[in-house]
Structures are given as C-alpha cells and as structure tokens.
C-alpha cells in the first residue's frame, strides 16, 4: 500500500500521500526564501544525492543560518504533524510510527546543527543514515502489510470458493436425476420394486 511521495526530490519519503493541508504546508516550507541560505548545506533537495563536498563540509552554522535552521525545524515539524493528522484511519499504524521516529531523528540532528555540535557534513551523514534506516523500516512494513493483504485475499477467495461449491453442490443434489425404480409383479398380488 505504499503510495510513496517525495517532497523536493527524495528529501523525505512518506508511506502515504500527503493530505491537502500537509501538501500545502510542505510547498510553503520549501518555497520559504530564507531556506536558500542553507538548502545546499543541509542536502536539499535530495539528501541521497549530496556531493562529496557537501558531505565533507566541516562548517558549522552562522548566527544567520541558525535562525533559518530554527524556522526550518519548526516548519517541518508542523508539516509532519499535519501529515499524521490527515493520515487515513485505515492506514497501518506502523507507518505513522516510522514517520514520527524519523521526525524525532531529524529534529535531533537539526538541534545539534543549530547548537553547533555537528557540522553541515555531519548533519548530512546523519540524515542519510536515518533515511536509509527509515526506508528499510518502510520496506519491511510494506512487505508485512502486502503479505497480510495477500493472505486476507486468499482466505476470502477460499471462502467464496467454499460458498459456491456448497451452493452448486446443493443444486446438483436437488436437480440430480432420481434413480429409476422398476416394479414388477411378485406373483402374490403385490409388486416388487428395485
């Protein structure tokens, strides 16, 4: 059931498509003009395609960049929270758990970047690891959900087959030709039937 969407390339793959409010939130966040100040430094638009220079960047955030990082972190959390609120009720709860866990890792990395505990390159490396783990969790959950759906479909098909077999079995008995009965006089004034 994976309707993967990608926000700004492969920045953040989600298990379900964004609802209309969350989608607008992400669009607004990524069109935020100040984000241009840090976008290439934090691996936007696609963290998986960060260059060697981006990964090796040992620069820490300037005061101006820290303000943008804080706004980005707050905005991304708002959008993810909206995404989780708009998630359809019939979607496996494991997807929301994975998204929430990834959001926690993202926030922790942004806090470390904001507090100058890590460089931009270290941030990208952390996000790449987190994204890889998140993708693995999604793939595992997708396989479980698909296997469960397949099992349910097979059970439903088997049940339908049994119902139809019972129905047609009953019909065939009802319309089966009656065995022929041959009656012959038994010689004592009665009939002998076979």
């Amino acid at each position: 059931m994976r309707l993967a969407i990608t926000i700004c390339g492969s920045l953040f793959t989600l298990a379900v498509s964004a609802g209309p409010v969350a989608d607008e939130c992400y669009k607004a966040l990524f069109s935020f003009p100040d984000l241009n100040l840090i976008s290439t430094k934090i691996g936007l638009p696609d963290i998986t395609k960060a260059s060697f220079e981006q990964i090796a960047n040992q620069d820490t955030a300037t005061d101006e960049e820290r303000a943008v990082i804080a706004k980005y972190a707050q905005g991304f959390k708002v959008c993810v929270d909206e995404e989780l609120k708009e998630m359809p009720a019939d979607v496996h709860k494991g997807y929301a758990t994975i998204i929430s866990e990834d959001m926690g890792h993202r926030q922790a990395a942004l806090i470390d970047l904001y507090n100058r505990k890590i460089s931009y390159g270290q941030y990208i490396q952390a996000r790449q690891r987190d994204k890889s783990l998140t993708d693995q969790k999604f793939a595992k959950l997708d396989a479980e959900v698909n296997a469960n759906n397949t099992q349910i479909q097979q059970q439903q098909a088997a049940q339908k087959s049994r119902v139809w077999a019972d129905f047609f079995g009953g019909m065939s008995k009802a319309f089966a030709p009656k065995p022929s009965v041959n009656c012959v006089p038994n010689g004592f004034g009665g009939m002998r039937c076979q």
Side-chain angles (χ1 to χ4, degrees):
M1 144 111 210
R2 188 153 191 204
L3 304 171
I5 66 163
T6 306
I7 299 163
C8 283
S10 294
L11 172 67
F12 188 69
T13 304
L14 299 175
V16 293
S17 59
V21 175
D23 191 43
E24 287 303 313
C25 183
Y26 288 123
K27 287 178 185 174
L29 176 65
F30 292 114
S31 65
F32 177 54
D34 291 348
L35 192 57
N36 292 332
L37 184 63
I38 63 167
S39 63
T40 58
K41 292 181 179 182
I42 62 172
L44 296 179
D46 187 348
I47 198 87
T48 63
K49 295 181 181 174
S51 68
F52 176 80
E53 291 81 10
Q54 287 174 302
I55 295 169
N57 185 353
Q58 290 300 307
D59 293 343
T60 56
T62 65
D63 289 338
E64 185 181 13
E65 291 168 341
R66 289 176 75 215
V68 175
I69 291 167
K71 288 178 186 177
Y72 172 71
Q74 291 169 347
F76 205 89
K77 179 162 181 8
V78 168
C79 294
V80 169
D81 288 346
E82 190 59 44
E83 178 85 23
L84 293 172
K85 278 195 287 188
E86 289 185 308
M87 191 173 286
D90 64 342
V91 172
H92 191 287
K93 299 301 180 210
Y95 290 112
T97 300
I98 294 169
I99 292 168
S100 295
E101 287 173 358
D102 187 66
M103 184 63 224
H105 294 301
R106 180 183 304 274
Q107 289 292 87
L110 285 168
I111 289 168
D112 286 347
L113 184 62
Y114 177 85
N115 288 326
R116 299 180 180 134
K117 290 182 179 179
I118 61 174
S119 68
Y120 283 107
Q122 291 167 319
Y123 171 81
I124 290 174
Q125 291 171 39
R127 286 304 306 142
Q128 285 178 336
R129 279 190 305 273
D130 293 341
K131 184 176 182 335
S132 177
L133 291 173
T134 297
D135 288 348
Q136 289 172 16
K137 289 177 186 178
F138 276 139
K140 182 179 177 188
L141 183 57
D142 286 345
E144 291 172 10
V145 168
N146 289 336
N148 187 43
N149 288 343
T150 299
Q151 182 181 7
I152 289 170
Q153 289 171 349
Q154 289 171 344
Q155 289 170 348
Q156 289 172 341
Q159 183 179 4
K160 284 180 184 177
S161 292
R162 284 191 300 276
V163 167
W164 283 112
D166 291 346
F167 175 74
F168 286 119
M171 282 184 63
S172 64
K173 287 179 186 174
F175 293 106
K178 304 287 185 219
S180 61
V181 177
N182 292 328
C183 294
V184 290
N186 65 4
F188 301 107
M191 300 290 278
R192 183 179 66 147
C193 297
Q194 299 177 353

